[in-house]
Amino acid sequence: MIQIDYHDRRPIYEQILSGFRKLILTGIMQPEEQLPSVRSLAMELSTNPNTVQKAYQELERQGFIYTIKGRGNFVQNVSGLRKERVEEILRQMEKLLSEAEELGERREDLLQQLRGLM
């Protein structure tokens, strides 16, 4: 499910956060699905439970999960978050295309090069 890369410069809680965000946004984890308990995930990843708890708190703050006291953490319906993220990516791409055009590059040429990367 989630793997920690000890060569990654990001803190462990950020890697956990990023891993769950990817699982949720790609639909691998479905709405209402329960996340592993803090203790079980900490044991599985050989990390401190406080690290996992910090990642879960941030996931909840960002709207990816919700907590039911005494029952655990569950995946939130994130279809709106996914749409927002795609829109943000498109805004960033538009900004980059505009910057490249300011440098004299043609948009069509850039898009063709992008298609070639796929």
Side-chain angles (χ1 to χ4, degrees), residues 40-81:
S40 67
L41 186 60
M43 286 178 52
E44 181 181 324
L45 298 176
S46 299
T47 191
N48 189 309
N50 292 332
T51 302
V52 174
Q53 183 62 38
K54 185 174 181 178
Y56 279 12
Q57 286 172 341
E58 185 61 20
L59 283 167
E60 186 168 14
R61 190 189 70 72
Q62 293 179 7
F64 287 92
I65 66 172
Y66 64 94
T67 302
I68 298 177
K69 195 165 184 109
R71 295 214 37 232
N73 299 290
F74 298 85
V75 175
Q76 189 82 268
N77 184 344
V78 295
S79 58
L81 289 175

